[in-house]
Amino acid sequence: MKRVLSVASECVPLVKTGGLADVVGALPAALAAQGWQMRVLIPAYRPLRAQIADWPEVFAEEDLFGGRGAVKAGDVAGVPMLLLDAPHLYDREGGPYNSGGVDWPDNPQRFAALSWIAARIAREGLADGWRPQVLHAHDWQAGYAPTYLAFGGPRDVATVMTIHNIAFQGWADAPMLGTLRLPAHEFHPASLEYYGGLSSLKAGLVTADKITTVSPSYAAELMRPEFGMGLEGVIAARAADVQGILNGVDEGVWSPEAEAVPYTSRRMKGKAANRAALCEEFGLDVPGPLAIVVSRMTDQKGIDLLPQVLPDFIAGGGGLAILGSGDPALESAMLDLVRRYPGRVALRLGYDEALSHRMFAGGDAVLVPSRFEPCGLTQLYGLRYGTVPVVAAVGGLADTVIHANPAALAADVATGITFHPTDAPAFAQALRQLLALHAQPAVWARLVRHAMAQPVGWEGSAAAYAQLYDGILR
């Protein structure tokens, strides 16, 4: 099989803070069916060190940005893993990127180290004889991997840089150029320099052979100032090398057939039972559509719009169950909604994977009012579970949900509700449409059935990645 090294900061089932981990964990199995063997390199954070204690060491560097680093190889839930064990960088309390909401001050070195080791593996291979033909870097944490490979002399390994969320860019001050082992002569606007400093994401974008994003619409949006966040010019300059490939979901993990009360698009009684159980769990009594929100609480996700649009939705018979955490001000606003609408709005702060499954199994609709969304997995889970997506028409949300306009309903192809722009009036109108559709049982049943028929797995996306890899083999 052909070989690819995937480099990222997180991967399910070992560590997850967001959708990146799901994608990185799902790709190896999906690509195996396309003839590609993918191994995944991530840091060995403190909670993972005991698990890998007896894994064989397959690569090492004695001076890895201040201490020894060793790569250990093993298999986790069928995913071939490489973990970079560097205690001076990763063995600490807190999350992968911060502690108590404050970023680790040495994050530039911590993730440069991950990229450095990835580039060395690409050049030299592992002790077990494995060496990749393609290096695939994910987001800013792996951005320097293509860079170290590009500036390290002749190479025979191709590189791909994937943007999962351009809002995070891996900033470092210019004096860190030498510390990060980057060539001084490349510190100029056409290469590494970024507004007077450094960005590991920009470095990856200018040095990788190909750039991908996680949806076609997001690929186009990133070339515009309102979405590119300062990097739109860099991406536009490389437009010929940019490709949008939608994410998928693991249909074995996210499956209504596998929930506590299973159901299918042809046998929906289980959906009603799950709805009743979810209402009981949250203490809700909702005569109309039960909407769910499973999200980080940030302005990006449009959570601040909920207090403006919910009063009319509640008055129309709707209800809302919320799972998430984030901005304290938004958490407080959600708690206020619970106080204002007891029995119709409920909240669980934090994240609970099992609860999220129960919410998708029991909800009638899932709300995703994002201001930008590179791909989004939440709406894909909604489609899979027949939990009708109500989404802002941006990025991957626009690419995956077919709006229930009169033409789409007449053609029997609608799968959800989209709205634009991402503001309160448009969102409120989308919720009015949700109420109206839910009040028509035959129309609603067709909408749910078509949502569940949409392909949301990895097969098509994996084929697109395999074709991309094949096209850049050196």
Side-chain angles (χ1 to χ4, degrees):
M1 295 182 78
K2 292 166 284 191
R3 302 170 306 281
V4 56
L5 175 64
S6 178
V7 190
S9 57
E10 51 189 84
C11 175
V12 295
L14 292 177
V15 57
K16 173 180 175 176
T17 68
L20 169 66
D22 293 300
V23 174
V24 174
L27 268 176
L31 282 164
Q34 302 291 330
W36 280 87
Q37 182 191 49
M38 173 177 276
R39 298 177 82 168
V40 179
L41 174 67
I42 68 169
Y45 305 109
R46 175 171 287 183
L48 306 179
R49 297 194 70 221
Q51 184 172 345
I52 67 170
D54 59 352
W55 286 14
E57 184 176 300
V58 293
F59 197 89
E61 175 155 340
E62 297 305 318
D63 182 16
L64 183 63
F65 296 89
R68 187 176 192 271
V71 176
K72 295 190 171 186
D75 187 277
V76 179
V79 180
M81 297 296 307
L82 300 170
L83 268 71
L84 174 57
D85 189 20
H88 61 292
L89 298 172
Y90 310 122
D91 185 13
R92 54 185 71 173
E93 288 293 333
Y97 318 118
N98 56 57
S99 179
V102 179
D103 286 350
W104 299 111
D106 60 343
N107 271 348
Q109 296 97 312
R110 296 174 74 233
F111 293 104
L114 179 70
S115 294
W116 180 267
I117 290 296
R120 282 201 61 197
I121 291 171
R123 284 193 180 279
E124 303 167 34
L126 299 172
D128 61 10
W130 190 89
R131 182 168 174 254
Q133 296 160 278
V134 174
L135 187 157
H136 188 160
H138 298 270
D139 266 352
W140 71 267
Q141 297 93 340
Y144 286 131
T147 308
Y148 291 136
L149 206 51
F151 296 150
R155 62 185 172 98
D156 60 355
V157 176
T159 55
V160 176
M161 183 77 227
T162 293
I163 307 167
H164 294 265
N165 191 337
I166 205 166
F168 304 100
Q169 301 181 356
W171 174 263
D173 292 327
M176 292 196 69
L177 190 73
T179 301
L180 299 179
R181 304 179 181 178
L182 296 166
H185 66 273
E186 291 292 341
F187 189 73
H188 56 85
S191 187
L192 297 180
E193 188 270 330
Y194 184 58
Y195 294 99
L198 296 163
S199 159
S200 55
L201 181 58
K202 186 205 173 183
L205 296 176
V206 299
T207 53
D209 294 315
K210 293 289 183 179
I211 298 166
T212 71
T213 69
V214 290
S215 71
S217 288
Y218 193 55
E221 289 170 351
L222 289 181
M223 300 182 200
R224 295 160 47 192
E226 61 266 38
F227 291 100
M229 298 192 177
L231 285 167
E232 60 275 4
V234 175
I235 297 168
R238 298 212 57 196
D241 296 315
V242 177
Q243 181 176 351
I245 301 176
L246 279 168
N247 287 335
V249 301
D250 187 329
E251 294 180 293
V253 173
W254 293 93
S255 170
E257 298 91 341
E259 296 301 333
V261 183
Y263 63 95
T264 69
S265 61
R266 295 187 179 277
R267 302 183 66 178
M268 292 292 290
K269 287 185 178 179
K271 180 77 167 172
N274 286 312
R275 184 189 192 278
L278 185 65
C279 284
E280 183 177 358
E281 181 173 0
F282 274 89
L284 294 172
D285 182 8
V286 181
L290 172 60
I292 65 169
V293 168
V294 180
S295 177
R296 288 182 290 112
M297 293 189 185
T298 66
D299 285 343
Q300 176 209 331
K301 298 295 185 179
I303 302 301
D304 57 299
L305 298 176
L306 288 173
Q308 302 174 61
V309 302
L310 273 188
D312 286 347
F313 182 61
I314 299 298
L320 181 64
I322 308 167
L323 172 64
S325 61
D327 184 329
L330 292 176
E331 290 183 0
S332 177
M334 297 305 102
L335 287 167
D336 184 59
L337 287 174
V338 173
R339 286 190 289 267
R340 288 168 59 190
Y341 304 107
R344 298 293 284 278
V345 178
L347 169 69
R348 297 290 186 274
L349 287 174
Y351 184 71
D352 182 327
E353 188 88 359
L355 175 56
S356 71
H357 278 254
R358 297 195 296 275
M359 292 175 71
F360 280 102
D364 295 311
V366 57
L367 311 184
V368 194
S370 302
R371 290 185 167 86
F372 65 92
E373 194 65 68
C375 177
L377 298 178
T378 305
Q379 85 281 7
L380 300 182
Y381 301 147
L383 292 168
R384 179 84 170 115
Y385 281 74
T387 305
V388 173
V390 179
V391 305
V394 296
L397 304 177
D399 289 337
T400 53
V401 179
I402 302 172
H403 178 55
N405 58 38
L409 288 169
D412 229 14
V413 296
T415 63
I417 298 168
T418 68
F419 62 91
H420 179 80
T422 307
D423 62 16
F427 190 12
Q429 178 57 30
L431 292 179
R432 284 190 284 271
Q433 185 179 9
L434 172 60
L435 291 166
L437 289 170
H438 190 264
Q440 304 171 69
V443 175
W444 183 259
R446 288 198 301 274
L447 183 63
V448 169
R449 187 167 60 252
H450 288 300
M452 295 181 75
Q454 290 301 295
V456 297
W458 273 104
E459 184 176 350
S461 301
Y465 276 117
Q467 184 178 33
L468 175 68
Y469 296 157
D470 285 333
I472 60 174
L473 284 176
R474 291 173 177 263

